[in-house]
Short mmCIF file of all heavy atoms in Angstrom, two decimals:
data_model
loop_
_atom_site.label_atom_id
_atom_site.label_comp_id
_atom_site.label_asym_id
_atom_site.label_seq_id
_atom_site.Cartn_x
_atom_site.Cartn_y
_atom_site.Cartn_z
N LEU X 932 86.58 -19.99 157.11
CA LEU X 932 87.75 -19.40 156.53
C LEU X 932 88.34 -20.40 155.54
O LEU X 932 88.80 -20.06 154.43
CB LEU X 932 88.81 -18.97 157.53
CG LEU X 932 88.33 -17.76 158.42
CD1 LEU X 932 89.35 -17.50 159.47
CD2 LEU X 932 88.08 -16.55 157.58
N VAL X 933 88.44 -21.63 155.91
CA VAL X 933 88.97 -22.73 155.05
C VAL X 933 88.05 -22.84 153.80
O VAL X 933 88.59 -23.00 152.69
CB VAL X 933 89.13 -24.01 155.81
CG1 VAL X 933 89.50 -25.12 154.83
CG2 VAL X 933 90.14 -23.90 156.87
N SER X 934 86.77 -22.77 154.01
CA SER X 934 85.86 -22.86 152.85
C SER X 934 86.03 -21.76 151.92
O SER X 934 85.98 -21.97 150.71
CB SER X 934 84.42 -22.93 153.41
OG SER X 934 84.22 -24.07 154.30
N LEU X 935 86.16 -20.55 152.48
CA LEU X 935 86.37 -19.42 151.51
C LEU X 935 87.63 -19.48 150.79
O LEU X 935 87.71 -19.18 149.60
CB LEU X 935 86.31 -18.08 152.33
CG LEU X 935 84.98 -17.73 152.95
CD1 LEU X 935 85.09 -16.50 153.89
CD2 LEU X 935 84.00 -17.35 151.85
N LEU X 936 88.73 -19.99 151.39
CA LEU X 936 89.99 -20.16 150.68
C LEU X 936 89.90 -21.20 149.59
O LEU X 936 90.42 -20.96 148.54
CB LEU X 936 91.08 -20.53 151.75
CG LEU X 936 92.53 -20.63 151.23
CD1 LEU X 936 92.94 -19.27 150.69
CD2 LEU X 936 93.48 -21.11 152.33
N LEU X 937 89.16 -22.27 149.93
CA LEU X 937 88.98 -23.31 148.88
C LEU X 937 88.11 -22.81 147.80
O LEU X 937 88.42 -23.05 146.54
CB LEU X 937 88.31 -24.60 149.49
CG LEU X 937 87.98 -25.70 148.62
CD1 LEU X 937 89.21 -26.26 147.93
CD2 LEU X 937 87.24 -26.78 149.32
N ALA X 938 87.15 -22.00 148.09
CA ALA X 938 86.26 -21.43 146.99
C ALA X 938 87.09 -20.46 146.08
O ALA X 938 86.85 -20.40 144.88
CB ALA X 938 85.11 -20.70 147.67
N LEU X 939 88.03 -19.73 146.77
CA LEU X 939 88.91 -18.85 145.94
C LEU X 939 89.77 -19.61 144.90
O LEU X 939 89.77 -19.25 143.75
CB LEU X 939 89.79 -18.01 146.93
CG LEU X 939 90.83 -17.19 146.26
CD1 LEU X 939 90.19 -16.13 145.38
CD2 LEU X 939 91.73 -16.56 147.29
N PHE X 940 90.28 -20.74 145.35
CA PHE X 940 91.09 -21.58 144.46
C PHE X 940 90.22 -22.17 143.36
O PHE X 940 90.66 -22.24 142.18
CB PHE X 940 91.85 -22.65 145.23
CG PHE X 940 92.92 -22.12 146.15
CD1 PHE X 940 93.12 -22.69 147.31
CD2 PHE X 940 93.71 -21.07 145.74
CE1 PHE X 940 94.14 -22.26 148.21
CE2 PHE X 940 94.75 -20.65 146.56
CZ PHE X 940 94.95 -21.16 147.81
N ILE X 941 89.03 -22.64 143.70
CA ILE X 941 88.17 -23.28 142.71
C ILE X 941 87.73 -22.21 141.66
O ILE X 941 87.69 -22.46 140.49
CB ILE X 941 86.97 -23.96 143.38
CG1 ILE X 941 87.40 -25.11 144.23
CG2 ILE X 941 85.98 -24.42 142.31
CD1 ILE X 941 86.24 -25.76 145.08
N LEU X 942 87.34 -21.02 142.21
CA LEU X 942 86.92 -20.00 141.26
C LEU X 942 88.08 -19.54 140.35
O LEU X 942 87.94 -19.17 139.12
CB LEU X 942 86.31 -18.77 142.04
CG LEU X 942 85.04 -19.06 142.73
CD1 LEU X 942 84.59 -17.93 143.67
CD2 LEU X 942 83.90 -19.26 141.71
N SER X 943 89.27 -19.50 140.95
CA SER X 943 90.41 -19.06 140.14
C SER X 943 90.77 -20.03 139.09
O SER X 943 91.28 -19.69 138.00
CB SER X 943 91.58 -18.81 141.02
OG SER X 943 91.34 -17.88 142.08
N ALA X 944 90.50 -21.31 139.29
CA ALA X 944 90.87 -22.37 138.28
C ALA X 944 89.88 -22.36 137.16
O ALA X 944 90.24 -22.92 136.08
CB ALA X 944 90.82 -23.75 138.94
N GLY X 945 88.73 -21.65 137.28
CA GLY X 945 87.82 -21.60 136.11
C GLY X 945 87.27 -22.94 135.72
O GLY X 945 86.74 -23.68 136.59
N ASP X 946 87.35 -23.36 134.52
CA ASP X 946 86.77 -24.55 133.95
C ASP X 946 87.81 -25.69 134.02
O ASP X 946 87.50 -26.79 133.45
CB ASP X 946 86.31 -24.33 132.47
CG ASP X 946 85.06 -23.48 132.42
OD1 ASP X 946 84.36 -23.34 133.43
OD2 ASP X 946 84.83 -22.80 131.37
N THR X 947 88.84 -25.53 134.70
CA THR X 947 89.85 -26.57 134.70
C THR X 947 89.31 -27.81 135.42
O THR X 947 89.58 -28.95 134.94
CB THR X 947 91.18 -26.06 135.40
OG1 THR X 947 91.69 -24.94 134.76
CG2 THR X 947 92.28 -27.14 135.40
N PHE X 948 88.68 -27.57 136.53
CA PHE X 948 88.12 -28.72 137.30
C PHE X 948 87.18 -29.42 136.46
O PHE X 948 87.13 -30.71 136.50
CB PHE X 948 87.61 -28.18 138.65
CG PHE X 948 86.95 -29.25 139.47
CD1 PHE X 948 87.75 -30.14 140.16
CD2 PHE X 948 85.58 -29.41 139.58
CE1 PHE X 948 87.23 -31.09 140.95
CE2 PHE X 948 84.98 -30.38 140.31
CZ PHE X 948 85.86 -31.25 141.06
N ARG X 949 86.29 -28.73 135.78
CA ARG X 949 85.22 -29.36 134.99
C ARG X 949 85.85 -30.20 133.90
O ARG X 949 85.39 -31.37 133.59
CB ARG X 949 84.29 -28.32 134.45
CG ARG X 949 83.53 -27.54 135.50
CD ARG X 949 82.90 -26.28 134.94
NE ARG X 949 81.89 -26.63 133.94
CZ ARG X 949 80.62 -26.78 134.20
NH1 ARG X 949 80.21 -26.75 135.46
NH2 ARG X 949 79.77 -27.00 133.21
N ARG X 950 86.86 -29.67 133.20
CA ARG X 950 87.55 -30.42 132.20
C ARG X 950 88.17 -31.73 132.69
O ARG X 950 88.20 -32.71 132.06
CB ARG X 950 88.53 -29.57 131.42
CG ARG X 950 87.94 -28.47 130.65
CD ARG X 950 88.97 -27.85 129.57
NE ARG X 950 90.08 -27.20 130.31
CZ ARG X 950 90.18 -26.02 130.72
NH1 ARG X 950 89.13 -25.17 130.38
NH2 ARG X 950 91.18 -25.53 131.36
N LYS X 951 88.86 -31.60 133.85
CA LYS X 951 89.47 -32.79 134.39
C LYS X 951 88.40 -33.88 134.75
O LYS X 951 88.67 -35.00 134.54
CB LYS X 951 90.26 -32.42 135.63
CG LYS X 951 91.50 -31.62 135.33
CD LYS X 951 92.27 -31.30 136.62
CE LYS X 951 93.48 -30.54 136.30
NZ LYS X 951 94.50 -31.30 135.45
N VAL X 952 87.25 -33.45 135.31
CA VAL X 952 86.15 -34.36 135.63
C VAL X 952 85.72 -35.03 134.39
O VAL X 952 85.44 -36.27 134.28
CB VAL X 952 85.07 -33.69 136.42
CG1 VAL X 952 83.86 -34.65 136.58
CG2 VAL X 952 85.52 -33.23 137.85
N ALA X 953 85.48 -34.27 133.34
CA ALA X 953 85.03 -34.81 132.04
C ALA X 953 86.06 -35.76 131.45
O ALA X 953 85.70 -36.81 130.85
CB ALA X 953 84.73 -33.69 131.04
N LYS X 954 87.32 -35.48 131.66
CA LYS X 954 88.36 -36.39 131.13
C LYS X 954 88.39 -37.68 131.89
O LYS X 954 88.58 -38.80 131.24
CB LYS X 954 89.65 -35.69 131.16
CG LYS X 954 90.85 -36.38 130.54
CD LYS X 954 92.14 -35.71 130.60
CE LYS X 954 93.28 -36.50 129.99
NZ LYS X 954 94.60 -35.73 130.08
N LEU X 955 88.13 -37.60 133.18
CA LEU X 955 88.17 -38.81 133.99
C LEU X 955 86.96 -39.74 133.73
O LEU X 955 86.94 -40.87 134.11
CB LEU X 955 88.25 -38.44 135.50
CG LEU X 955 89.51 -37.85 135.99
CD1 LEU X 955 89.35 -37.42 137.47
CD2 LEU X 955 90.65 -38.85 135.87
N ALA X 956 85.91 -39.06 133.17
CA ALA X 956 84.67 -39.92 132.85
C ALA X 956 84.86 -40.97 131.83
O ALA X 956 84.15 -41.91 131.74
CB ALA X 956 83.59 -38.97 132.37
N GLY X 957 85.93 -40.80 131.01
CA GLY X 957 86.23 -41.81 130.06
C GLY X 957 86.46 -41.22 128.65
O GLY X 957 86.31 -40.05 128.48
N ALA X 958 87.01 -42.10 127.75
CA ALA X 958 87.34 -41.57 126.39
C ALA X 958 86.13 -41.42 125.55
O ALA X 958 86.17 -40.77 124.47
CB ALA X 958 88.33 -42.52 125.79
N SER X 959 85.06 -42.08 125.87
CA SER X 959 83.80 -41.97 125.02
C SER X 959 83.24 -40.62 125.06
O SER X 959 83.17 -39.94 126.08
CB SER X 959 82.74 -42.97 125.61
OG SER X 959 81.56 -42.80 124.93
N LEU X 960 82.79 -40.15 123.85
CA LEU X 960 82.29 -38.81 123.76
C LEU X 960 80.93 -38.76 124.49
O LEU X 960 80.55 -37.73 125.03
CB LEU X 960 82.10 -38.46 122.31
CG LEU X 960 81.45 -37.11 121.95
CD1 LEU X 960 82.35 -35.95 122.50
CD2 LEU X 960 81.29 -36.91 120.49
N ALA X 961 80.08 -39.80 124.45
CA ALA X 961 78.82 -39.92 125.12
C ALA X 961 79.02 -39.73 126.65
O ALA X 961 78.24 -39.04 127.34
CB ALA X 961 78.16 -41.20 124.82
N ARG X 962 80.04 -40.41 127.19
CA ARG X 962 80.21 -40.25 128.65
C ARG X 962 80.66 -38.92 129.04
O ARG X 962 80.14 -38.37 130.01
CB ARG X 962 81.40 -41.25 129.12
CG ARG X 962 80.95 -42.73 129.11
CD ARG X 962 82.19 -43.61 129.52
NE ARG X 962 81.74 -45.03 129.75
CZ ARG X 962 81.42 -45.53 130.88
NH1 ARG X 962 81.31 -44.76 131.87
NH2 ARG X 962 81.05 -46.82 130.92
N ARG X 963 81.49 -38.25 128.18
CA ARG X 963 81.89 -36.92 128.51
C ARG X 963 80.71 -35.94 128.45
O ARG X 963 80.59 -35.03 129.18
CB ARG X 963 82.98 -36.46 127.64
CG ARG X 963 84.33 -37.21 127.80
CD ARG X 963 85.43 -36.64 127.00
NE ARG X 963 86.67 -37.33 127.33
CZ ARG X 963 87.92 -36.96 126.85
NH1 ARG X 963 87.93 -35.89 126.13
NH2 ARG X 963 89.01 -37.60 127.16
N ARG X 964 79.89 -36.14 127.40
CA ARG X 964 78.62 -35.33 127.25
C ARG X 964 77.79 -35.44 128.47
O ARG X 964 77.25 -34.48 128.98
CB ARG X 964 77.89 -35.71 125.99
CG ARG X 964 76.65 -34.87 125.70
CD ARG X 964 76.01 -35.21 124.41
NE ARG X 964 75.72 -36.65 124.39
CZ ARG X 964 74.62 -37.15 124.94
NH1 ARG X 964 73.79 -36.35 125.57
NH2 ARG X 964 74.33 -38.44 124.90
N VAL X 965 77.55 -36.70 128.95
CA VAL X 965 76.66 -36.88 130.16
C VAL X 965 77.31 -36.23 131.31
O VAL X 965 76.62 -35.61 132.17
CB VAL X 965 76.45 -38.40 130.35
CG1 VAL X 965 75.79 -38.64 131.68
CG2 VAL X 965 75.61 -38.96 129.23
N THR X 966 78.63 -36.34 131.50
CA THR X 966 79.26 -35.69 132.63
C THR X 966 79.08 -34.21 132.57
O THR X 966 78.89 -33.61 133.64
CB THR X 966 80.75 -36.07 132.65
OG1 THR X 966 80.91 -37.54 132.64
CG2 THR X 966 81.47 -35.51 133.79
N ILE X 967 79.27 -33.56 131.45
CA ILE X 967 79.14 -32.15 131.40
C ILE X 967 77.65 -31.76 131.65
O ILE X 967 77.40 -30.72 132.27
CB ILE X 967 79.51 -31.68 129.90
CG1 ILE X 967 81.05 -31.83 129.73
CG2 ILE X 967 79.14 -30.22 129.76
CD1 ILE X 967 81.85 -31.05 130.70
N GLU X 968 76.70 -32.52 131.22
CA GLU X 968 75.34 -32.27 131.47
C GLU X 968 75.08 -32.30 133.00
O GLU X 968 74.39 -31.52 133.60
CB GLU X 968 74.41 -33.24 130.80
CG GLU X 968 74.33 -33.04 129.25
CD GLU X 968 73.45 -34.01 128.61
OE1 GLU X 968 72.92 -34.97 129.31
OE2 GLU X 968 73.28 -33.95 127.38
N VAL X 969 75.64 -33.31 133.67
CA VAL X 969 75.52 -33.51 135.13
C VAL X 969 76.09 -32.26 135.84
O VAL X 969 75.55 -31.61 136.77
CB VAL X 969 76.14 -34.72 135.65
CG1 VAL X 969 76.18 -34.77 137.15
CG2 VAL X 969 75.30 -35.98 135.13
N LEU X 970 77.33 -31.80 135.46
CA LEU X 970 77.92 -30.70 136.03
C LEU X 970 77.17 -29.40 135.85
O LEU X 970 77.08 -28.60 136.75
CB LEU X 970 79.37 -30.57 135.49
CG LEU X 970 80.39 -31.63 135.87
CD1 LEU X 970 81.69 -31.41 135.18
CD2 LEU X 970 80.56 -31.68 137.43
N ASN X 971 76.60 -29.20 134.64
CA ASN X 971 75.80 -28.07 134.38
C ASN X 971 74.55 -28.03 135.24
O ASN X 971 74.13 -27.00 135.74
CB ASN X 971 75.43 -27.96 132.89
CG ASN X 971 76.63 -27.65 131.98
OD1 ASN X 971 77.58 -27.07 132.42
ND2 ASN X 971 76.59 -28.03 130.75
N GLU X 972 73.90 -29.18 135.38
CA GLU X 972 72.73 -29.24 136.19
C GLU X 972 73.00 -29.03 137.61
O GLU X 972 72.31 -28.42 138.43
CB GLU X 972 71.99 -30.62 135.99
CG GLU X 972 70.69 -30.75 136.73
CD GLU X 972 69.85 -31.90 136.33
OE1 GLU X 972 70.23 -32.59 135.41
OE2 GLU X 972 68.97 -32.31 137.15
N ILE X 973 74.17 -29.57 138.10
CA ILE X 973 74.50 -29.29 139.47
C ILE X 973 74.74 -27.84 139.77
O ILE X 973 74.30 -27.23 140.82
CB ILE X 973 75.80 -30.11 139.85
CG1 ILE X 973 75.52 -31.63 139.90
CG2 ILE X 973 76.37 -29.60 141.18
CD1 ILE X 973 76.77 -32.54 140.11
N ASP X 974 75.41 -27.17 138.75
CA ASP X 974 75.58 -25.70 138.80
C ASP X 974 74.31 -24.97 138.92
O ASP X 974 74.13 -24.09 139.82
CB ASP X 974 76.38 -25.29 137.60
CG ASP X 974 77.04 -23.91 137.77
OD1 ASP X 974 76.66 -23.21 138.72
OD2 ASP X 974 77.97 -23.55 137.02
#
């Protein structure tokens, strides 16, 4: 039940979580590109 509730919040957030992770990767465009590639592959 806790997992489903967490999944509901993550799904409702859309791409917000992905954008925050890419922002935390650094200011470099290359770092953000690699981070997005990793997230897409994980998906």
Side-chain angles (χ1 to χ4, degrees):
L932 292 177
V933 173
S934 301
L935 291 172
L936 186 61
L937 177 61
L939 174 63
F940 291 143
I941 295 176
L942 290 172
S943 302
D946 292 334
T947 304
F948 179 75
R949 297 163 65 89
R950 290 196 298 268
K951 290 183 178 295
V952 172
K954 185 177 180 180
L955 291 174
S959 171
L960 182 61
R962 286 178 174 270
R963 294 190 177 185
R964 180 177 56 83
V965 172
T966 303
I967 294 298
E968 289 178 356
V969 171
L970 292 175
N971 291 335
E972 184 171 345
I973 290 174
D974 199 342

